[in-house]
Amino acid sequence: MHTAPGRGGVALVGDVEVAYLPVLTLPSFAAQGALQDVAEYASPAKDDFQEAAWTSVTLGDQVYGAPVDTGPMVMFYNKEVFDSLDLAPPATWAEYEKAARKIHASGPRRYISSPYLDYDYAASPGRRTPAGSASRTTPGR
């Protein structure tokens, strides 16, 4: 019997065809051999997702699912960057897009957000953003 983490945990008994797993637990389930590579079925949809969302369900060349719940839950902003570009924190998606374009125009390695790209998913080497990659609103990384 496997117990899947999540809302109170869901007991999985016998053969399970499909399960919802939080992306933070995906590497540990994969390491235990509890997941099957579904690249054959999922890869045709890869271009429908942001790179960061797709990365959240892959380990190396293996794909273990489809991204879900990829919208922001909480947004932070770098006050220094916004002030330096005379930007106010966005209140609408249109303002967010305008600010994103202005931030990126101020430097090719500057972005308004970093959806997962430099988040260390359970210290999984296959998920780390390489040193020198750009995914934050501040220069560098």
Side-chain angles (χ1 to χ4, degrees):
M1 178 172 158
H2 300 285
T3 301
R7 297 183 99 179
V10 178
L12 304 177
V13 180
D15 294 330
V16 176
E17 298 296 327
V18 178
Y20 172 84
L21 296 173
V23 294
L24 293 175
T25 64
L26 189 137
S28 70
F29 274 83
Q32 296 172 49
L35 303 177
Q36 180 177 342
D37 181 4
V38 295
E40 173 184 353
Y41 310 103
S43 291
K46 179 179 180 180
D47 292 339
D48 293 340
F49 298 96
Q50 291 181 319
E51 178 188 352
W54 190 257
T55 300
S56 74
V57 296
T58 61
L59 291 169
D61 293 334
Q62 297 181 321
V63 180
Y64 292 108
V68 295
D69 299 333
T70 59
M73 292 187 271
V74 174
M75 299 180 92
F76 298 90
Y77 76 100
N78 184 322
K79 185 170 174 25
E80 285 182 24
V81 170
F82 274 66
D83 287 351
S84 74
L85 297 171
D86 197 30
L87 290 169
T92 67
W93 287 117
E95 290 174 7
Y96 181 90
E97 180 180 3
K98 185 177 177 182
R101 291 183 187 282
K102 189 169 185 178
I103 289 168
H104 191 59
S106 74
R109 297 176 56 88
R110 297 177 99 186
Y111 297 90
I112 195 168
S113 70
S114 158
Y116 311 117
L117 286 178
D118 57 2
Y119 186 82
D120 184 359
Y121 286 111
S124 173
R127 295 195 183 278
R128 289 195 179 137
T129 301
S133 66
S135 58
R136 295 182 179 216
T137 57
T138 53
R141 273 194 63 151

